[in-house]
Amino acid sequence: MRDVYKQLIINVTERETRVALLEDGTIVELHVDRGDDAHIAGNIYKGRVVRVLPGMQAAFVDIGLSQAAFLYVDDVAADGLADIERFFALRVEENGPDGAGEGDLSPPPPRRREVPIEELLVEGQDILVQVAKSPMGTKGARISSQIALPGRFLVLMPSSSHIGVSRRIEDEVERQRLRQIVQDHRRETYGYIVRTAAEGESEEKIVYEMGFLSNLWADIRRRFENAPSPSLLYKDLSVSLRAVRDLLIHEAEKLVIDSRPTYEAVLGFLDTYMPALKERVLFYEGPEPIFDAYNLEGDISRALKRKVWLKSGGYILIEHTEALTAIDVNTGRYVGKHNLEETILKTNLEAVKEIAYQIRLRDIGGIIIIDFIDMEKKSNQERVFTAFKEALKRDKSKTHVLPMSEMGLIQMTRKRTREPLTRILCEPCFYCEGEGWIVSRQSVCYNIHREILRSAGDLMGDRVVIRANPQVADLLHGDESALVAALERSLGRTIVIYPEPQFHIEQFEVYTSSEG
């Protein structure tokens, strides 16, 4: 596989941060943070056990969110003997800004939990926990008392004594050097994972980070002793800094940011961890919104639609259900040139690339069933299956794909680390009583914000007038009023919002007028 040119584009507005990973100019990943509970993986809380369930060998823990978090017995650290393998499954294999960014580490041999949960926890007990998976839909956060503190070169695991080294460091001499540095300088019997970024780094830098992480853990323990329950004790990096830590350092050649404060924060972060990378960071000062400048908005809108057209005229349909995601391939307008089997094969091969791309961009996880158009020749089925496996190689999330069945179905699973893009940017459609999806009112507000910024240079009047669906107008007057106030300060103009009952929830108009 040839090398691709990767860059990160970060768009920061008053209430929303979007991070896009581009490969050869095409958006392949999008991470959205709106400051809610959707992105709390890595945060550490002082929680209180509210219910112990012996029949499920699990417990519910109040960590201060709207839903109680779920703690499984194997994630309970008891005398430092928690099941470390489960920690790897939930935290280390996650990639990108929402994971630990090291999907290449060897877990130690698994341990079997023999102590039942009712002997480890009691209702009303305070417990120190870390979020392994953010809340998804109706499911609360998945937590663990097996804490992991990621740094630039190391991951500290206070409840373990294991020392591991990233598999991506292939030189055995270097692996032994790094392991020996950690072994010689650790002051407590804490566990450490040496990350890929540590390869070739000096002993001084690694020892410094060991001390930093150790002091951070001591500070978290002190806060635990004094804080009320429930309380947030440690907040993981922002989505922008996680992108720097996990994508810029390991993959991307360039990072472009349109916010001066975020730009300065990123440079400060790199000053501490990797000063040599500061030259890769650019501040965007162009006249149009940054995502428009890189032609990303169209691809994002396309990633929210049920039907995706192929260049040949065929199309794929993507349907989300509670249990799985179904993807259907159709020839559509494509009629081919020679025979039916060739037409079907060409459509399926074109669909393979688009399906792999959409799965990654939409961040679809769990069970995925793909219904390709039936092919008579076994050799053609093999070609499609092989092409699909090849197309998935750039996806960092763990996937497992079964061969094509006799009915032309490919069944696969993809590691679920957070809500898919459609769940973040959309909400159930109330026009059809929840049977479909529309762009959420909050997203419409941000679309209006971007439209005004896009037209800022052409605004001539004294006032900016927004006409929108009453529910969107209410949101702009209420929860999103700070967004409107920020626009007024930026433009130096008054913004007037009028509700239009006849407007669809996604419909709006923006224009200027003169007072009087």
Side-chain angles (χ1 to χ4, degrees), residues 57 73-74 76 78 112-121:
Q57 284 300 291
V73 64
D74 283 354
V76 180
R112 291 186 60 82
R113 167 69 71 200
E114 298 177 355
V115 183
I117 195 164
E118 58 268 29
E119 295 183 19
L120 297 171
L121 300 174

Side-chain angles (χ1 to χ4, degrees), residues 18 20-30 291-292 294-305 307-309 311 318 354 357-358 360-362 421-422 425:
R18 299 186 296 173
L21 174 64
L22 276 57
E23 292 183 353
D24 289 338
T26 300
I27 182 173
V28 294
E29 292 181 21
L30 178 67
F291 270 36
D292 285 349
Y294 284 86
N295 299 314
L296 305 183
E297 297 290 6
D299 285 336
I300 294 172
S301 297
R302 190 164 164 257
L304 302 178
K305 297 191 179 299
K307 179 184 286 188
V308 179
W309 288 98
K311 291 181 180 179
I318 303 175
E354 187 64 37
Y357 171 72
Q358 291 294 332
R360 185 178 176 192
L361 177 58
R362 299 176 188 227
L421 195 61
T422 49
L425 299 182

Side-chain angles (χ1 to χ4, degrees), residues 19 29 120 217 235 249 265 275 282 286 290 305 384 388 401 413 466 474 491:
V19 178
E29 292 181 21
L120 297 171
W217 172 239
K235 186 176 177 62
I249 288 174
L282 302 177
I290 188 169
K305 297 191 179 299
V384 171
F388 186 54
V401 185
T413 59
I466 300 172
D474 287 345
L491 299 173

